[in-house]
Amino acid sequence: VALAREGCAWAQELGARQLVIWPATDGYDYSFSVNYSRAWDSAVASYRSIARECAGVQVSLEWKPTDEAARFSIVASTGAALLLVEQVGEPNFGLTLDFGHLLLAGENPAQSIDMVASRGKLFGVHLNDGYQRLGAEDGLAWGTVHPTQALEAVWYLQQHQYGGHVYFDTFPNNEDPVREAQFNIRQFTRMWERAARLRDARALKELW
């Protein structure tokens, strides 16, 4: 909470429009190691406090279902994240959806985007791809493993006239980071253009 408040102060001073919070360690590894209701209530109170202190800045939660730092997350699904947003109840508190995190949770990214955007709480998206396993996130180049799901996710962004931030949250550990960034931009631009051509039912039918 203290770190998020410090980030908020910097965002306000710099005139930034958004503060993204990734709670990597907000979870647990073992059964009987945490009081779930108490942990949830603490999360609600903490995010509400941060959102209120961050007046004029969007506070966006980037939830992740599991991580090496915490095998089970307190906020482990899009549904849980939306419940958290509802209970926090602050207009400047919303969600950043990470494509890889959605896959890691066993969700269909397009459906998750639709759920959040239809409630006006989609503040940002992180685009990447990978072969998801429990506790692992590959962070591969956008649309290289799940191209159809990636295209549908972009299509739903267009359906909701999304105009927020798009980040490429990939991990070029063994690749040239500049070339990977260029590839991600080209890939997203192509998918955006292709999705725009799928506006009507006939075009969608021709996809198959």
Side-chain angles (χ1 to χ4, degrees):
V1 173
L3 181 62
R5 286 173 173 164
E6 183 179 350
C8 175
W10 277 107
Q12 290 170 327
E13 183 174 340
L14 295 171
R17 293 180 297 169
Q18 189 175 100
L19 174 72
V20 179
I21 299 175
W22 174 46
T25 58
D26 286 358
Y28 56 95
D29 294 323
Y30 297 100
S31 298
F32 298 105
S33 64
V34 64
N35 183 309
Y36 306 120
S37 295
R38 189 179 302 162
W40 180 266
D41 291 343
S42 177
V44 171
S46 297
Y47 287 119
R48 183 183 293 134
S49 171
I50 295 166
R52 287 177 177 175
E53 287 194 27
C54 260
V57 176
Q58 288 185 334
V59 177
S60 192
L61 171 67
E62 179 193 353
W63 69 271
K64 186 179 181 181
T66 182
D67 189 78
E68 294 89 343
R71 185 62 63 195
F72 298 98
S73 297
I74 298 301
V75 183
S77 68
T78 296
L82 281 173
L83 178 61
L84 180 73
V85 168
E86 179 183 324
Q87 292 187 355
V88 168
E90 297 296 326
N92 65 326
F93 185 66
L95 301 176
T96 290
L97 296 183
D98 183 294
F99 194 86
H101 296 180
L102 299 174
L103 294 173
L104 196 59
E107 298 184 3
N108 175 9
Q111 183 179 5
S112 302
I113 288 172
D114 189 41
M115 288 172 61
V116 178
S118 64
R119 289 162 176 79
K121 288 299 182 178
L122 184 60
F123 288 180
V125 290
H126 287 184
L127 302 183
N128 46 47
D129 212 333
Y131 305 95
Q132 305 301 330
R133 296 180 180 177
L134 185 63
E137 181 189 4
D138 297 312
L140 300 181
W142 163 246
T144 54
V145 181
H146 299 85
T148 302
Q149 287 180 297
L151 178 62
E152 187 185 23
V154 172
W155 189 81
Y156 268 97
L157 288 174
Q158 292 185 358
Q159 298 308 298
H160 290 283
Q161 299 179 340
Y162 177 73
H165 298 291
V166 172
Y167 309 84
F168 296 106
D169 190 3
T170 61
F171 313 152
N173 297 321
N174 301 306
E175 294 78 27
D176 183 323
V178 175
R179 292 185 62 189
E180 182 163 316
Q182 292 170 336
F183 173 85
N184 285 327
I185 293 170
R186 290 197 305 271
Q187 182 87 316
F188 180 76
T189 301
R190 285 195 295 262
M191 285 196 180
W192 188 269
E193 293 171 348
R194 189 179 182 191
R197 296 195 296 269
L198 300 177
R199 298 283 181 159
D200 55 61
R202 184 175 65 179
L204 282 171
K205 186 176 181 180
E206 290 174 354
L207 178 65
W208 308 108

